[in-house]
Amino acid sequence: RMTLQDLGPVCIPNTKMALPGLKWPKPYLNAMARALWTKGVDIEIVLSNPGSIPNGLGPLEACYGNGWTCNDVASEIIKRIKKQFPTAEDGDLRKKVEENLRVCFIRHDKSTTYPDGGNIGLHSKYFIIDDVASYTGSQNLYDCDLAEWGVLVDDVAATEKMISEYWTPMWENSYTGEDCDVQTVMDGLEIDRDGEEVSQFSYLNQAKLEDAARQSTRIGLSSNAAFYAKEGYGDDEEKDKLI
């Protein structure tokens, strides 16, 4: 069980592609996929609604949600099953989505929006493992170049209390079954959602990062894209500074 701002890196608006240079967190996805496939564990994920901007802030200051759908997230997990277990049959993969993998957006009273129409955001990073231990902290699973802090609670009684007081009420309000469609998940297995390979030391590729940053004003920026857009690399006199 996990609550996350998102599972994928920042997405270019109106596409199925991450910002240049950004990748989905394959090691974590591989671990989830192995547990799902080989052990039949249930995986439940609650995500922030895309474009969730805290009150009073601009989209470049804070945005909880990187732009992916729950179908995208589920597809990326199932893709890692296929990568690690090439003989996996489509019918068995579908069964995993139907019976073991549940992904949804956070809701309040079954709604994804506040009364004023704004999308409900989720900034917590919370993980429960086998209902016996939990982690609460700042660690996103996607790479975001931050110093991270967290607390690991390895105690069954404390974990059960967290499930009762935090997880269960949130899950009962959020999970409706409508955010993840099996056919859409399976159709999305061939989509490459990773960002374009770029070198931040190339003038041309820094220009690509800057352009991607401008496109992402509605959903916030990755640290690299924000940096290069903010620094204004692209002036002729700056070209010689780039390797």
Side-chain angles (χ1 to χ4, degrees):
R1 309 171 198 255
M2 62 190 80
T3 64
L4 293 162
Q5 177 172 304
D6 214 319
L7 195 54
V10 178
C11 176
I12 297 175
N14 302 315
T15 75
K16 293 292 185 181
M17 182 180 292
L19 290 176
L22 300 186
K23 307 293 181 184
W24 283 71
K26 303 301 193 305
Y28 294 120
L29 295 173
N30 284 340
M32 291 183 213
R34 283 195 303 272
L36 188 64
W37 185 250
T38 64
K39 299 180 179 180
V41 302
D42 291 330
I43 296 178
E44 298 177 342
I45 304 173
V46 180
L47 301 172
S48 184
N49 292 281
S52 305
I53 301 171
N55 186 40
L57 297 177
L60 300 185
E61 296 175 288
C63 186
Y64 302 149
N66 291 343
W68 305 104
T69 67
C70 295
N71 290 316
D72 292 323
V73 169
S75 288
E76 288 299 311
I77 295 173
I78 297 301
K79 279 167 64 174
R80 303 318 295 177
I81 294 180
K82 292 192 68 175
K83 181 71 173 179
Q84 297 173 94
F85 306 95
T87 60
E89 299 286 344
D90 276 10
D92 293 327
L93 295 174
R94 286 176 178 272
K95 189 174 181 180
K96 291 298 181 184
V97 180
E98 292 172 343
E99 298 182 2
N100 301 101
L101 180 59
R102 294 178 282 277
V103 188
C104 70
F105 292 125
I106 192 167
R107 288 175 168 80
H108 177 67
D109 289 338
K110 304 298 183 180
S111 173
T112 59
T113 61
Y114 293 109
D116 64 1
N119 290 340
I120 297 176
L122 173 66
H123 199 219
S124 64
K125 291 83 178 174
Y126 182 69
F127 306 86
I128 304 170
I129 303 92
D130 296 335
D131 292 351
V132 299
S134 71
Y135 166 89
T136 305
S138 63
Q139 179 69 58
N140 292 292
L141 295 188
Y142 60 87
D143 185 11
C144 54
D145 299 326
L146 297 173
E148 305 291 0
W149 304 89
V151 176
L152 179 64
V153 177
D154 189 4
D155 182 84
V156 174
T159 302
E160 289 177 346
K161 184 177 181 182
M162 291 180 182
I163 293 172
S164 173
E165 296 181 356
Y166 173 68
W167 175 267
T168 298
M170 176 184 60
W171 185 255
E172 290 178 349
N173 273 280
S174 299
Y175 185 73
T176 63
E178 64 191 88
D179 294 325
C180 215
D181 174 73
V182 177
Q183 186 60 51
T184 304
V185 171
M186 298 302 293
D187 289 343
L189 296 183
E190 302 305 317
I191 298 174
D192 183 358
R193 296 176 179 82
D194 282 338
E196 180 185 0
E197 289 283 356
V198 297
S199 167
Q200 63 189 37
F201 300 108
S202 157
Y203 172 75
L204 175 62
N205 287 332
Q206 286 192 13
K208 290 181 180 179
L209 287 171
E210 182 179 343
D211 181 63
R214 284 194 295 266
Q215 294 182 54
S216 302
T217 55
R218 291 188 61 201
I219 60 169
L221 303 172
S222 69
S223 56
N224 283 346
F227 172 78
Y228 289 118
K230 180 180 68 176
E231 292 297 309
Y233 285 112
D235 297 335
D236 289 342
E237 62 269 21
E238 295 293 336
K239 292 182 181 179
D240 291 338
K241 297 180 182 179
L242 306 178
I243 300 173

